[in-house]
Amino acid sequence: MQPTSTVDRPAAPLAPNSRTFARAFADLRDAWHQRELWAHLGWQDIKQRYRRSVIGPLWITISMGTTALALGLLYSQLFNQELATFLPYVTAGFIIWNFILGVVTEGTGVFIDNEGLIKHLPSPITVHVLRMVWRQVLFFAHNLVVYFIVLIIFFPALTEQYTMEGDKVVHPGLSWSVLMAVPGFALVVVNAVWVALLFGIISTRFRDIPPVIHSFINLVFFMTPIVWHVGVLNKVTGGEGEGDGGWRVLIAELNPLYHFVEIVRAPLLGQTQDWHHWVVVGSFTVVGWALALVAMRNYRARVSYWV
């Protein structure tokens, strides 16, 4: 028999290239189509955490309420703030910060913690990110109960015009503008997804990143206006009267997390909101998603080998 010529043989199919933006977008799209999966897993995470507990997830609300009350009472005295407006300010800020903190800290280990599922469940890696973000949204919803309780108690003070100590802005008080908190929080959630994707991929490759971020985020908390108001920076240190704050205001303005907190907190408290917060958050959204897509394009397929 004559040997078959290699020219007559069909060419072997080329291996598909996994490092494309099309694959990255497909991963996001497929994960969204599997929303029943990650929504169920996220809810089961909460049920599992509080299994055999008498009051279950209400411990989330109790813990948040106790922390907000203690910090509000303490710092209202330290900064000579009116409790009726400062305690809601601390409560709303701490609830939003708790969501951001959970996304950042758990986002760094989102793929590492799901090693078993990644290796045995054929699903997009974005599923694990959406599961984690959805879990944090549920925590946020539980914590909102504390905000509504504080709102009921101090409702008369928040519906009138008021100012914060050291702040020259007169806030109009609660109105229908409170609905602006909904798109504000939605934008924070959109950013939470790219943060978990980007830092999750980096942390899976470099395991020193999670402890560094965990340590750094604790420092950022004290630099973010959560338990203190930006108005206190306007006070002239060691002098009489008030100034414009100068370089001290940059402590807050150069902190991106301040802007993320403010687009949600200001509407919840009926405060005057500067639109530059939305510009800063919008810019971070575009840049952050661009970086996350590049990371997914180049390293999405390697996550299962790194965990």
Side-chain angles (χ1 to χ4, degrees):
M1 295 181 60
Q2 295 292 332
T4 304
S5 174
T6 57
V7 178
D8 299 330
R9 294 177 183 175
L14 296 176
N17 186 8
S18 62
R19 300 181 61 177
T20 63
F21 284 110
R23 291 294 185 89
F25 281 110
D27 191 283
L28 293 171
R29 182 181 63 252
D30 294 343
W32 176 250
H33 290 162
Q34 298 182 26
R35 51 187 175 272
E36 292 185 2
L37 172 62
W38 52 260
H40 175 73
L41 291 175
W43 178 250
Q44 288 299 318
D45 289 340
I46 295 181
K47 292 180 64 176
Q48 184 66 27
R49 179 175 298 187
Y50 295 97
R51 187 180 180 183
R52 301 183 185 276
S53 174
V54 177
I55 60 177
L58 283 179
W59 280 116
I60 305 172
T61 305
I62 295 174
S63 176
M64 173 59 62
T66 304
T67 304
L69 178 62
L71 294 177
L73 292 174
L74 173 61
Y75 284 92
S76 64
Q77 298 300 314
L78 292 177
F79 296 127
N80 193 29
Q81 298 278 356
E82 182 66 32
L83 184 64
T85 54
F86 189 70
L87 183 56
Y89 174 86
V90 172
T91 301
F94 202 73
I95 290 173
I96 302 164
W97 172 262
N98 207 54
F99 174 81
I100 296 175
L101 177 66
V103 168
V104 173
T105 54
E106 293 193 20
T108 56
V110 65
F111 299 129
I112 300 173
D113 297 337
N114 290 283
E115 176 184 356
L117 286 176
I118 291 175
K119 290 183 176 180
H120 297 95
L121 180 65
S123 62
I125 64 171
T126 311
V127 164
H128 308 289
V129 171
L130 294 178
R131 171 189 179 182
M132 183 275 298
V133 173
W134 172 241
R135 182 170 66 247
Q136 294 302 322
V137 170
L138 294 176
F139 283 140
F140 179 84
H142 280 88
N143 291 331
L144 274 183
V145 175
V146 181
Y147 163 75
F148 288 116
I149 294 174
V150 172
L151 183 64
I152 293 173
I153 296 174
F154 298 107
F155 187 77
L158 293 175
T159 53
E160 301 176 353
Q161 292 185 348
Y162 66 93
T163 59
M164 305 290 287
E165 180 68 22
D167 192 2
K168 299 178 181 179
V169 178
V170 178
H171 302 295
L174 284 174
S175 64
W176 286 108
S177 62
V178 69
L179 296 178
M180 287 298 296
V182 176
F185 181 69
L187 191 56
V188 173
V189 172
V190 170
N191 280 270
V193 177
W194 75 254
V195 167
L197 279 171
L198 180 61
F199 286 97
I201 292 175
I202 296 175
S203 299
T204 305
R205 177 62 180 85
F206 303 101
R207 299 301 176 92
D208 293 326
I209 299 297
V212 172
I213 291 181
H214 291 187
S215 301
F216 181 71
I217 200 70
N218 293 325
L219 174 63
V220 175
F221 171 77
F222 294 101
M223 299 178 63
T224 306
I226 304 296
V227 295
W228 53 274
H229 189 264
V230 178
V232 301
L233 301 177
N234 291 326
K235 293 184 177 181
V236 178
T237 305
E240 298 180 357
E242 297 180 353
D244 60 0
W247 62 269
R248 292 186 294 274
V249 177
L250 293 178
I251 296 177
E253 291 294 336
L254 294 179
N255 182 358
L257 296 185
Y258 163 58
H259 304 282
F260 281 90
V261 170
E262 198 64 18
I263 64 173
V264 183
R265 178 174 57 189
L268 291 177
L269 302 176
Q271 293 187 347
T272 300
Q273 189 176 46
D274 197 322
W275 285 98
H276 84 280
H277 298 304
W278 289 86
V279 174
V280 172
V281 173
S283 301
F284 270 92
T285 304
V286 174
V287 175
W289 267 107
L291 294 175
L293 288 173
V294 170
M296 289 188 65
R297 172 189 179 274
N298 294 331
Y299 307 111
R300 178 188 59 83
R302 300 186 185 183
V303 170
S304 58
Y305 297 98
W306 288 340
V307 293

